[in-house]
Amino acid sequence: MKRFRMKEWISIQLAKNPGRMVLLGILAFNIAFVFLSAFIISAMSLSGTEQMGFLEAAFYTVTMILDAGCISAVVKDIGTSGVVIAVICLCVIIIGMITFTGAVIGYVTNFISEFISNANTGTRKLHISNHTVILNWNTRASEIINDLLFSGQKEKVVILVNSRKEEIKKEISERLSETVAKENKKLHDEAKDMSFFKRFFYTKKHKTKMTVTFIVREGDVFSLKQLKDIQLNKAKAIIILGSDSVNTLCRYETKIKGEDYHQGNSQTIKTLMQVADITASDDSVSDQRIIVEITDPWTQDIVNKIIRSKEVKGRCNIIPVFVNQILGQILSQFSLMPELNTVYIELFSNKGPAFYAEKGAIENEDEYIAEYIKTHRHAIPLSSLDANGEPYFFYSTAEEEFINKVSEERPLNYEVKLNPNYWIDKKNVIILGHNSDCDQIMEGFSAFICEWGYNNITSEELKKVYEGEEVLRVTVVDDKENLEKMGYYQQYPFVKETVVADIYDQQLICDTINRVISYGKHDTSILILSDDNALSEDIDSNALANLIYVQDIVKDKIDENPDFDIGSIDIIVEIIDPKHHDLVNSYDINNIVISNRYISKMITQIGEKDAIYNFYNDILTYDVETSAENFNNKEVYAKKVKKYFSELPAPCKADELVRAVYNTSLTTVYESGETYPALVLGYVKKSGKMVIFSGDLSQVDVALEKDDKIILYTPH
């Protein structure tokens, strides 16, 4: 019975821990072998071993196994010791080398190999805290990590993915190295005219360093153990990314995957449920932020239910990021005011001037701002909003500590005059191609019409200028399948024309563009979209082809009329793969929209300051009220200097312009009978050069010209 139990125990242990049992077997056999060999050598008392005791024989047995040359300690003279002792010693050496040296080295080698393998696949627990965790991977992920280079502190990132670990590590390394090299080259160019010592200290102070440490682990994002092993409960932010709809296999699978992508993402839901369960527990650190990418209404609804059920204030803060909605809003705004592309690239980043939030309630916003800008010249106060049930005030500044930096009050001896009859310019928009955000782009246009449409004009003088037309005319050129999918945009009255054209229908596309450009003297924006559901090898292909068509048309216009106003046509090109940026830029295109980067930059900032998401939602959404008296939300606008001001402002300092415009906007009554407080964030020259105010505004010179555009944060 005991024998059976022993066999059962051995069988179970071999099944559960085969490595441990093998090690025990190796050790047991070698101990027995050493003692047996020592006993034989000691007991034989042959020539050369007569005076050798048992323990001494055991010692020399081990030394012979480890080093065959030590046989001389046992066999002094092979000629006088005899063949028996020599054969015994040789057998001990050979057997020992196999069972002791070979077996132990083999086991240790295998153990080290297994240790490395386990570390790579993420089966060992990390001892880490205050880090960022990224679950899953998509085309936006590397940009999230890249933007952490500019956070001003050392960052730790742990990425848990199901597969492609080595590819992801390479992608991150290349992205970070490229950014560090690019930023330092730019810094070197800025300092090239400085003296040697000044250049040395300047570059040393502002040099971009590799401050991001990342760990990529391959495993199961639904595994409770693996999530705990990466210390999810101690992370400062957890980012749950949605999967890409891009496919590398075939067009049919791409289409099916793309359709599923916008119907619901069960993987995101499962991951969030697991994460929320961990972060809502008592052993989780406070103020954690869980950022979830959402691409469809079904996922949005389920996420909201999870928030209602699991969110614990101050602990499990879930922030849903509506990817398509944000991209649609951004692209619609860029179509109307292309200058906002360069503005948002600057302000949505951790580098340079950015948006910051400070907790605190403000009773009278207008009075607070008016008093604040008298004694603060390093930050621009914007507005107050609630986030997570708490009040915050938002600012634009280069450094968060600048918010409370007080300067001596100076009298304002500078004035501006605003145009009380200002109304937005009419705009023609041509959309070439499609992406998954088309519905949201149209919703952005609809919201814009609600705020700036002809029906909101109360001034008879302005009504004569607009002659009953809407401020926006949209023409869509796309293939038949996608136009049918969108119902030929019939639900949107501002879409005046849809043209069925394949990418190879060059003449039809060019004729349409030429015809729309000829509509009166209104500015025209051409928005070139990139299909995010294309095969990976076809990504951005149609967008690049459309770009060539448009550029050829512009060249023809210039050839026909050397005085043709190039500024009357704004070309906005959306690309998905950042590698195509330089290719597009070589065609003199300033408004290149790498759509994924905007989401990435926003997610990075939300991971550090979750209240900022409410602010982003506010500035990206136009008011949808149908009357001019209900413009409450504030947005960022690029307005023509010659139309926004009644008189061209005189040269001044940035702080003077900010104060003068804000004070005047509080007393200027517009044609709607309302006042619209406005804060100047910067300006864009006709040449395309952009200046966002940052640093000490009293040291920033401003000289506006009539064809420049002023960047304003205002409700209308």
Side-chain angles (χ1 to χ4, degrees):
M1 189 69 177
K2 288 183 178 180
R3 183 181 177 186
F4 175 77
R5 287 180 179 176
M6 178 60 69
K7 288 179 68 176
E8 182 183 48
W9 181 85
I10 292 174
S11 177
I12 292 172
Q13 294 304 313
L14 280 173
K16 289 181 63 179
N17 301 295
R20 185 186 302 171
M21 292 301 293
V22 170
L23 178 61
L24 288 174
I26 291 172
L27 292 176
F29 176 82
N30 279 286
I31 290 170
F33 175 71
V34 168
F35 277 97
L36 178 62
S37 299
F39 175 77
I40 294 173
I41 293 172
S42 176
M44 289 184 69
S45 298
L46 297 175
S47 176
T49 64
E50 300 92 338
Q51 306 301 320
M52 189 177 293
F54 177 76
L55 293 178
E56 190 177 4
F59 172 77
Y60 284 120
T61 300
V62 174
T63 59
M64 282 191 300
I65 292 172
L66 297 176
D67 183 358
C70 292
I71 193 174
S72 60
V74 178
V75 185
K76 304 294 183 182
D77 185 352
I78 192 67
T80 60
S81 297
V83 177
V84 177
I85 189 63
V87 170
I88 290 173
C89 289
L90 289 173
C91 289
V92 169
I93 291 171
I94 293 169
I95 296 172
M97 287 176 65
I98 296 171
T99 63
F100 183 77
T101 309
V104 171
I105 290 175
Y107 182 86
V108 171
T109 301
N110 184 67
F111 176 81
I112 293 172
S113 176
E114 185 180 357
F115 180 87
I116 294 172
S117 177
N118 289 340
N120 283 335
T121 54
T123 58
R124 294 191 178 277
K125 188 172 184 177
L126 290 174
H127 297 280
I128 191 172
S129 62
N130 197 36
H131 56 298
T132 299
V133 172
I134 296 178
L135 302 177
N136 301 321
W137 193 257
N138 60 26
T139 53
R140 292 178 287 275
S142 60
E143 191 63 31
I144 295 172
I145 300 171
N146 183 71
D147 213 44
L148 289 172
L149 282 171
F150 307 107
S151 67
Q153 59 186 5
K154 291 186 176 181
E155 298 284 352
K156 298 163 289 185
V157 184
V158 179
I159 304 105
L160 181 61
V161 291
N162 292 324
S163 60
R164 297 176 54 233
K165 173 180 176 293
E166 293 304 320
E167 288 180 44
I168 291 169
K169 284 175 64 177
K170 183 180 178 182
E171 181 181 341
I172 299 171
S173 296
E174 288 181 354
R175 184 72 186 97
L176 293 176
S177 299
E178 178 187 345
T179 300
V180 170
K182 184 178 180 180
E183 291 299 320
N184 288 331
K185 183 180 183 303
K186 190 187 301 181
L187 179 66
H188 184 270
D189 292 341
E190 290 174 3
K192 65 181 179 181
D193 295 328
M194 298 179 183
S195 63
F196 174 79
F197 289 106
K198 187 176 181 180
R199 181 171 66 249
F200 174 79
F201 289 110
Y202 180 79
T203 53
K204 184 177 181 181
K205 180 181 178 180
H206 297 93
K207 184 179 181 181
T208 301
K209 299 177 182 177
M210 187 65 74
T211 54
V212 176
T213 300
F214 67 91
I215 300 169
V216 182
R217 307 193 79 166
E218 198 168 271
D220 185 0
V221 295
F222 308 127
S223 167
L224 183 63
K225 177 186 180 302
Q226 292 187 36
L227 290 175
K228 288 186 174 181
D229 282 347
I230 60 175
Q231 301 289 359
L232 199 74
N233 60 329
K234 294 181 180 179
K236 65 178 181 180
I238 300 105
I239 301 169
I240 302 174
L241 299 178
S243 57
D244 283 323
S245 59
V246 175
N247 191 281
T248 59
L249 300 177
C250 70
R251 296 186 186 279
Y252 175 76
E253 290 188 19
T254 298
K255 182 178 178 180
I256 296 300
K257 191 174 181 180
E259 291 173 352
D260 291 344
Y261 177 68
H262 297 287
Q263 288 179 354
N265 195 328
S266 57
Q267 184 182 24
T268 295
I269 298 301
K270 287 166 61 180
T271 308
L272 177 60
M273 290 175 68
Q274 193 74 282
V275 169
D277 193 52
I278 295 173
T279 55
S281 61
D282 292 336
D283 63 345
S284 180
V285 297
S286 300
D287 297 322
Q288 284 184 299
R289 291 168 291 280
I290 305 169
I291 301 139
V292 190
E293 281 192 351
I294 296 176
T295 58
D296 61 274
W298 180 84
T299 305
Q300 176 183 345
D301 182 57
I302 302 299
V303 167
N304 287 335
K305 285 179 170 58
I306 294 173
I307 292 174
R308 184 180 177 184
S309 173
K310 281 289 184 180
E311 190 168 71
V312 179
K313 190 174 181 181
R315 191 175 299 278
C316 176
N317 301 312
I318 302 172
I319 307 162
V321 176
F322 308 105
V323 176
N324 297 87
Q325 178 181 328
I326 292 170
L327 289 178
Q329 291 170 332
I330 285 174
L331 289 170
S332 63
Q333 285 199 9
F334 293 170
S335 301
L336 300 163
M337 289 167 279
E339 296 80 9
L340 294 186
N341 181 28
T342 51
V343 173
Y344 287 167
I345 286 174
E346 187 81 21
L347 290 173
F348 282 17
S349 173
N350 273 322
K351 182 190 174 188
F355 295 123
Y356 291 91
E358 190 173 75
K359 190 181 294 185
I362 303 297
E363 291 184 8
N364 189 309
E365 188 173 300
D366 291 341
E367 288 182 4
Y368 171 78
I369 294 174
E371 289 300 314
Y372 181 94
I373 57 180
K374 288 180 181 179
T375 56
H376 295 75
R377 295 196 285 271
H378 291 77
I380 301 173
L382 301 175
S383 65
S384 57
L385 287 171
D386 283 348
N388 299 323
E390 295 181 303
Y392 284 85
F393 202 89
F394 296 86
Y395 303 81
S396 171
T397 182
E399 302 287 345
E400 190 169 9
E401 55 265 27
F402 287 168
I403 292 174
N404 298 310
K405 187 171 183 177
V406 180
S407 303
E408 183 181 353
E409 182 179 350
R410 297 189 306 176
L412 180 62
N413 301 313
Y414 182 81
E415 294 182 354
V416 296
K417 292 185 178 180
L418 305 184
N419 175 17
N421 290 318
Y422 177 83
W423 201 257
I424 207 78
D425 289 321
K426 295 179 184 178
K427 194 83 175 185
N428 291 324
V429 176
I430 304 172
I431 298 177
L432 302 178
H434 62 272
N435 63 17
S436 298
D437 313 316
C438 285
D439 282 318
Q440 298 300 331
I441 294 172
M442 294 298 140
E443 291 303 319
F445 287 149
S446 295
F448 176 79
I449 292 292
C450 284
E451 183 159 344
W452 291 98
Y454 177 79
N455 293 333
N456 287 335
I457 302 175
T458 57
S459 166
E460 292 300 323
E461 182 181 348
L462 279 174
K463 283 190 174 183
K464 291 178 183 178
V465 173
Y466 278 78
E467 299 174 349
E469 293 183 16
E470 288 287 3
V471 296
L472 178 64
R473 294 176 58 95
V474 176
T475 300
V476 181
V477 182
D478 202 357
D479 59 60
K480 184 178 180 180
E481 180 181 353
N482 284 284
L483 284 177
E484 287 179 346
K485 184 178 178 182
M486 292 296 297
Y488 289 89
Y489 296 88
Q490 291 180 1
Q491 67 271 42
Y492 304 107
F494 50 84
V495 178
K496 303 302 180 182
E497 182 182 11
T498 56
V499 178
V500 179
D502 191 82
I503 191 63
Y504 301 108
D505 296 329
Q506 177 181 349
Q507 193 60 49
L508 179 56
I509 294 172
C510 293
D511 288 346
T512 302
I513 295 171
N514 272 311
R515 185 175 69 255
V516 174
I517 291 175
S518 66
Y519 289 160
K521 297 181 180 179
H522 313 320
D523 287 347
T524 300
S525 287
I526 302 176
L527 176 61
I528 302 175
L529 299 177
S530 189
D531 184 5
D532 52 339
N533 287 327
L535 291 169
S536 58
E537 60 265 28
D538 294 334
I539 284 294
D540 297 331
S541 296
N542 285 4
L544 294 174
N546 278 321
L547 171 61
I548 295 172
Y549 296 160
V550 173
Q551 282 296 92
D552 197 50
I553 291 171
V554 173
K555 296 292 183 185
D556 288 342
K557 295 285 184 186
I558 296 173
D559 290 341
E560 293 170 7
N561 178 14
D563 297 325
F564 176 74
D565 183 11
I566 300 177
S568 65
I569 300 178
D570 292 301
I571 304 170
I572 305 101
V573 182
E574 181 204 19
I575 58 174
I576 295 171
D577 190 343
K579 294 177 183 177
H580 295 147
H581 179 276
D582 292 340
L583 181 62
V584 176
N585 197 43
S586 67
Y587 282 83
D588 299 323
I589 301 298
N590 294 323
N591 289 304
I592 305 170
V593 182
I594 305 176
S595 51
N596 282 334
R597 281 191 178 175
Y598 277 102
I599 299 297
S600 302
K601 289 177 183 294
M602 290 175 67
I603 287 175
T604 304
Q605 288 202 346
I606 294 166
E608 298 170 358
K609 39 195 176 183
D610 55 340
I612 207 73
Y613 182 62
N614 297 63
F615 182 75
Y616 283 144
N617 268 339
D618 189 60
I619 65 175
L620 291 175
T621 307
Y622 295 109
D623 292 301
V624 294
E625 298 289 346
T626 56
S627 62
E629 291 79 12
N630 290 299
F631 302 131
N632 298 315
N633 292 343
K634 296 179 180 178
E635 299 91 30
V636 179
Y637 286 94
K639 297 184 177 182
K640 291 181 179 179
V641 168
K642 63 185 178 185
K643 294 194 67 176
Y644 183 68
F645 296 97
S646 296
E647 296 178 5
L648 183 67
C652 60
K653 298 295 184 181
D655 68 319
E656 294 176 321
L657 183 65
V658 172
R659 289 178 66 185
V661 169
Y662 186 74
N663 292 340
T664 306
S665 68
L666 292 177
T667 58
T668 300
V669 180
Y670 286 81
E671 56 87 26
S672 63
E674 299 291 316
T675 59
Y676 302 119
L679 288 152
V680 182
L681 302 181
Y683 60 90
V684 180
K685 303 296 289 184
K686 185 180 180 181
S687 62
K689 178 186 177 184
M690 179 199 65
V691 176
I692 296 296
F693 295 155
S694 65
D696 187 350
L697 302 192
S698 65
Q699 302 300 312
V700 178
D701 293 315
V702 180
L704 296 175
E705 297 174 315
K706 65 176 184 178
D707 291 324
D708 296 340
K709 291 187 179 180
I710 190 165
I711 307 301
L712 298 169
Y713 179 70
T714 178
H716 189 57

